[in-house]
Structures are given as C-alpha cells and as structure tokens.
Amino acid sequence: GDGRRGGARAGTAGAAGRRTAAARPRRRLAWTAGAVAATALAGAWLARGADDRIPPGVRVAGVDVGGRTAAQARALIAARAQDRGAGTVTILAADGPAGYRLDVPAATLAGPPRIAQAVAAARDARGPVGRALSRLGVLGDVDVPLRYALRDAAVTRLAARLRRDLAAPALSARVLVGRDRIVATPARDGRAVDAAALRDALATLPATLRVRVRRVAPRIGDAAARRARDLAARIVDTPHRVRLGRREAAIPADLLRRALRFDARHGGIDVALDAATLRRGLAAPLGAPETPPRDARLEVRGDRVVVVPSVPGRLLRTEPLADALVRDPGRATVEVAVAAAAPDLTTTEARALGIREEVGAFTTPYACCQPRVANIRRAAEILDGHVIPAGGTFSLNAALGERTSERGFVSAPTIQDGRLVDSTGGGVSQIATTLYNAAFLAGLDLVSHTPHQFYISRYPMGREATVSWPHPDLVLRNDWPAGILVDVTAADTSVTVRLYSSPLGRRVEATTGTPRGRREPTTRVVRNDDLPPGTRRVAQGRGPEGFTITYGRRVYRGDRLIRDESFTWSYDPEDEIVEVGPGVPLDAPPDPEAPPP
C-alpha cells in the first residue's frame, strides 16, 4: 500500500514539473512580443518624427512652433520678426555708469531674419530619439534663437557710441616733471566694451541687451612710477659737471629736468636723459666746435624723385654723459668729446628706399576758405614728405597726432551719430579719403578704414574713409619691396595726394557697382531742453538718400594677380532733424504757419 501511494505522489509531482516547464516558453514569448511592440511603437513615433512637423515643445524666439509644419512655422516666425523689426533694442550697462540706457530702433541694426536656418534648427532641436520622448511628454521645452543679418555700418557706429559712453582707457601711473619738483601720478583702471560679444548678442535682436563692461588694468602701476620718480630726483638734485678737454662747465638742474625722459615698458618705467637736449644746452658753455650733419632728402622734380645727398658733420657727443648719469646719479664729473656725426638718413639709405616715380595719385575738391579747409591744409603740412618703408604699416592718426587748437587745428563740422556737429579738426577726413584712394590705386594693403555714415558726393561711392581721434583710423601697409613717399598738396579748392615708389610692374583694375537698396531720408524729432518752451527748429536739413554700394579692385604685379578684393558699404540716409523745446510733444505735426528756419 505504501508503495502505491508513493508512486501516486511521484506521478503528481512529475505532472506539475511538466506544467512549469511548459509555462516558461510562453513567458519568453510574451516578453519578446512586448519588446517587439515597444520597438514598433518607437518606430512609429520616429516615423512620425521624420515628417515635416517640428517636435512638440520647441519654440523659436519665444514663438511656439511645436507640432507645426515648416511652412506654418515660417509664417509664425515671420510675424514675430516683423514685430521685432518695428520695435527697439534697449541697451543697458551691466557694469559701468549707473542708470545708463540707450534705445536703438531695431530696424537700423538688423536686416532680414534668418528664418530658414531657425526652422531647420527647430526641426533638429530634439534629434530622432528626442522627438519620440517629446511626444510622450518626457522632455521640457527648448527655445531656438532667431538670428538676423546685421547691418555692419550700424553695428560699427553703435559699438563706437558705446565705447564713448561706457568705455574709458586705463591710465598708467606716470612721472611728470615740473619747474621745481618731480611727481608720480597714480594709475587708474579702465573699462572696455567687447565689440565681438556685442555683435553676437545683437544677432538675435533682443528687446533688452545688457552690455558687459570689463575692467582693464593699467600697464604701469604706482610702485613703478615711484621708483622712476626717485631716480629722476637723484639725477636732478645732485650737482654734476662736464669736461671737454680743458674746458669745464656745471650742468644746470633745469637742463637735466628738460632732458629727462620716461619710457614705459614691461610693467616698469625706464629713466633716460635725452642726449640731444644735453648737447644743445652744453655745446656753447663748453665752446664745442660743431658742424651739424645734413640728412639726405627725397625731392620731387617733375614726374621723378631724386635723392639730394647727405652731408656728415661733427657734434658734441653727449650720449655717454646721459648714460653715465642714469647709471650713477651721484657721479660728480663726466668727460665728453666732439666726434663725427652721421646724418639720420644717409645717401645710401635714401637710394635703397627705391622711390623713383609716381605709383598712385588722387584729388578731391572742396569749397574755398571754409574752416575745414584750414584743417585740411594743416594736416597736409604734417603729412607731406612722410615715408612708408617697404613692409611698413602706416596709421594716419599716428602720423597726424591728436587734432587740437594748440597744434593749429580749428573747429569745423563732423558727422557724429547721424548729425553734423562742430569739433576741432573737422574736415581732416578729406585727407583720409584722398590718401585712401591714392593707396587704393597704388595697390597698397588697405588694413583698416571706415567710410562716412552719409554719402558725400565729392567722393567715389564707398571708396572713402573717415577718421577721428583716437578712432576710427586709416591704416595702410606697404607690402611692396620699395618705400613709399607721401606727397600732399592742398590748393585753394582741392587737395591732392601723390604716392611715389618703384613701379615693380604694379597694375590696379578698379570696379564700382550700382547703388542698391535706396532709402529716403525721413524727419526725426528730438527734444532740446535748451530751446524756449513751445518752440521747434530744423537743426539739420534733409540730405542725400541712403544706399548700399559694392566696389573692388584687382592688383597685379606683372602678370601675377596678388590681390582680388571686394568691399561693401551701406550709407544711411541723412535725415532731417527737428528739435523741439519743452512743452512740444515729439509727435506733434509741424506748424504750417511757422516761418522757415
């Protein structure tokens, strides 16, 4: 009996084992089916994502385009762009002057919106897997920026305006020499606006833009200035004598003060004494038998340049004296001698410049006797005879220096932020334009130039340059293997710049396109609280229209093309500017009964 019961139990257990083994394949089949279903579902989502629709949760410049077709998205974005183009960009200073605000019409900064690129970026914003997850509501929203084609001229002017308003140069510590004392002035931090970051931020035409103003450390600190001041004071306060043969003389303290020079370099200030100043002050007391040397000269005769030879001389050598007093400020007596003196420019050096004949010239006209003509003539006087060596870089601002009344410049009109205003040196841009065109035709490297904001009919369209102190500047590079002589003639009604060098097979082919995108000037009404209440006046009449122009040149050396360039510039229209006094709304219509200005 026990054996039968045991057998039955054994049989029952075997049946259960067979049922369990049979269930395992069915579960595996169920999991496989689920995986296949999930894969199919994902495939379905991905297949849906491959159509023209933008994934859910995607915005472009704040506009919800999720689930839209590309065409629908383009229409929505275009409407948004139209609204932004009619608005303003409010510029605030993240650092710098408190309360700074500048409202700029968006249309003056940006051209067409890059809608096609924005839609393409919106479609690709999720990626294939992200498309599926976004439809399941797993991912958050994403906002794609809408970028605009910027107007280069307007952005350049805005950057210049922000530099004037927000930036300030760092001031290094300096050493100043007075009549009876030598002092060190403290250093001061500067501020700078990042023009590249500004351009990148403006590309999205934001409603509000906070401009970052970074700190600029001065090159020379206070400690370096104090060390230089102390050394200079020891040189001046110690009695010194100088001996030439049997003759001897004291070195006056005021002569040493006039001869002091301070050269800032490598974070410090080097103290030196100018040997020429010492020579002029000591030659007579010592009875030095001097014969000054004469430099070689480049002289234009007809259409050729000839070299007038140099002449050597003999001078009191004060370089050893200057070095000795700086090395040992306590030294009592220093011996000097008269020795041969070579010219600064020898005949050999002048001939090696290779300057022989005219390689480029240009003339621009002006009306006689205006204040700006005085500035043109003063600039011509400074610039005439300047030599740009082979491979040398030329800066017009560096050559002319700051235009001040002390240096012979007068007040005359200049263009600033769309308005004609008087400033010292106005009119010098005509020298810049004339020189630019001569360099353009001579095939020089045009490193940096900025055309005027408005078109000026006496200049070639686009092919002109404006300058101001310290920027914008006109920068050229003489990339030819011969020097360049700059010859400037300012007559009663025109200025001419001629450039002389070796021809070297140079040839320039210039092209100028047709103006496009013409824009008529409008009337701008601005507040002027200095006017009597209730009055209005025309501060600036309506000028030429705005347009875009492209010009270029090909520069050859013999048969070889060495430069193929194209330049584009957009002129703004010269708007009429009407100023209104207190109590007159900016949108008030003009009074037809008012007398003309």
Side-chain angles (χ1 to χ4, degrees), residues 515-535:
R516 62 186 185 277
R518 295 183 181 273
R519 301 179 301 281
E520 291 296 324
T522 60
T523 298
R524 292 162 46 197
V525 182
V526 298
R527 177 78 62 200
N528 183 349
D529 292 332
D530 293 332
L531 291 178
T535 62

Side-chain angles (χ1 to χ4, degrees), residues 20-36:
T20 301
R24 288 195 189 101
R26 286 195 294 272
R27 284 198 294 271
R28 283 198 295 270
L29 289 171
W31 279 107
T32 301
V36 171

Side-chain angles (χ1 to χ4, degrees), residues 50 137 191 229 248 271 352 359 410 519 552 571:
R191 302 187 302 272
R229 176 202 59 194
E248 192 173 301
V271 180
V359 295
V410 301
R519 301 179 301 281
Y571 289 105

Side-chain angles (χ1 to χ4, degrees), residues 399-493:
L400 295 181
E402 186 174 2
R403 274 71 81 187
T404 63
S405 56
E406 293 79 10
R407 300 185 63 242
F409 292 92
V410 301
S411 182
T414 59
I415 301 173
Q416 292 183 11
D417 299 324
R419 299 189 64 166
L420 291 170
V421 298
D422 283 345
S423 66
T424 303
V428 169
S429 289
Q430 183 152 357
I431 287 281
T433 290
T434 313
L435 173 60
Y436 174 79
N437 276 276
F440 182 93
L441 297 173
L444 301 189
D445 183 11
L446 310 171
V447 177
S448 174
H449 77 286
T450 304
H452 287 83
Q453 182 177 357
F454 306 144
Y455 173 58
I456 301 173
S457 59
R458 61 175 169 263
Y459 304 147
M461 289 184 290
R463 236 174 63 189
E464 42 104 351
T466 182
V467 290
S468 187
W469 181 267
H471 46 70
D473 194 4
L474 170 63
V475 181
L476 310 169
R477 189 170 70 91
N478 178 16
D479 53 348
W480 291 79
I484 294 282
L485 170 65
V486 182
D487 181 85
V488 188
T489 303
D492 289 342
T493 58

Side-chain angles (χ1 to χ4, degrees), residues 337-588:
V338 174
D344 291 334
L345 181 65
T346 66
T347 304
T348 301
E349 292 169 336
R351 288 173 177 162
L353 290 170
I355 299 174
R356 299 185 181 91
E357 60 188 78
E358 184 180 297
V359 295
F362 204 77
T363 299
T364 57
Y366 47 69
C368 175
C369 312
Q370 297 176 345
R372 65 188 304 274
V373 175
N375 293 326
I376 293 171
R377 288 182 167 173
R378 177 64 182 126
E381 179 184 8
I382 296 172
L383 189 59
D384 186 44
H386 193 95
V387 173
I388 311 172
T393 298
F394 168 88
S395 159
L396 184 58
N397 271 339
L400 295 181
E402 186 174 2
R403 274 71 81 187
T404 63
S405 56
E406 293 79 10
R407 300 185 63 242
F409 292 92
V410 301
S411 182
T414 59
I415 301 173
Q416 292 183 11
D417 299 324
R419 299 189 64 166
L420 291 170
V421 298
D422 283 345
S423 66
T424 303
V428 169
S429 289
Q430 183 152 357
I431 287 281
T433 290
T434 313
L435 173 60
Y436 174 79
N437 276 276
F440 182 93
L441 297 173
L444 301 189
D445 183 11
L446 310 171
V447 177
S448 174
H449 77 286
T450 304
H452 287 83
Q453 182 177 357
F454 306 144
Y455 173 58
I456 301 173
S457 59
R458 61 175 169 263
Y459 304 147
M461 289 184 290
R463 236 174 63 189
E464 42 104 351
T466 182
V467 290
S468 187
W469 181 267
H471 46 70
D473 194 4
L474 170 63
V475 181
L476 310 169
R477 189 170 70 91
N478 178 16
D479 53 348
W480 291 79
I484 294 282
L485 170 65
V486 182
D487 181 85
V488 188
T489 303
D492 289 342
T493 58
S494 66
V495 60
T496 299
V497 173
R498 292 183 174 88
L499 302 181
Y500 294 88
S501 184
S502 291
L504 300 171
R506 72 180 78 200
R507 178 166 54 90
V508 177
E509 296 177 354
T511 59
T512 301
T514 302
R516 62 186 185 277
R518 295 183 181 273
R519 301 179 301 281
E520 291 296 324
T522 60
T523 298
R524 292 162 46 197
V525 182
V526 298
R527 177 78 62 200
N528 183 349
D529 292 332
D530 293 332
L531 291 178
T535 62
R536 59 188 292 145
R537 72 181 182 94
V538 177
Q540 176 174 295
R542 186 168 299 199
E545 64 184 3
F547 60 87
T548 298
I549 190 71
T550 297
Y551 68 97
R553 66 174 181 172
R554 288 189 168 194
V555 181
Y556 295 86
R557 183 173 182 182
D559 294 331
R560 184 167 64 92
L561 177 67
I562 62 174
R563 185 170 290 120
D564 189 352
E565 296 171 317
S566 178
F567 305 90
T568 298
W569 183 255
S570 293
Y571 289 105
D572 287 345
E574 186 176 350
D575 294 336
E576 178 187 55
I577 298 178
V578 177
E579 295 180 339
V580 297
V584 180
L586 294 179
D587 57 354

Side-chain angles (χ1 to χ4, degrees), residues 248-293:
E248 192 173 301
I251 305 178
D254 65 331
L255 174 61
L256 292 171
R257 275 192 289 268
R258 293 198 306 272
L260 279 170
R261 300 292 184 268
F262 302 96
D263 186 12
R265 63 174 71 191
H266 309 304
I269 299 178
D270 292 341
V271 180
L273 289 168
D274 181 57
T277 300
L278 293 176
R279 183 186 62 77
R280 288 191 295 269
L282 295 173
L286 292 173
E290 290 190 318
T291 304

Side-chain angles (χ1 to χ4, degrees), residues 235 240-243 249-252 255-256 259 272-283 286 316-329 331-337:
I235 294 172
H240 305 287
R241 295 187 69 79
V242 61
R243 183 183 301 126
I251 305 178
L255 174 61
L256 292 171
L273 289 168
D274 181 57
T277 300
L278 293 176
R279 183 186 62 77
R280 288 191 295 269
L282 295 173
L286 292 173
L316 179 69
R317 291 198 64 220
T318 49
E319 291 83 3
L321 169 65
D323 293 340
L325 294 183
V326 171
R327 286 196 311 269
D328 183 7
R331 187 165 176 174
T333 303
V334 181
E335 295 215 10
V336 293

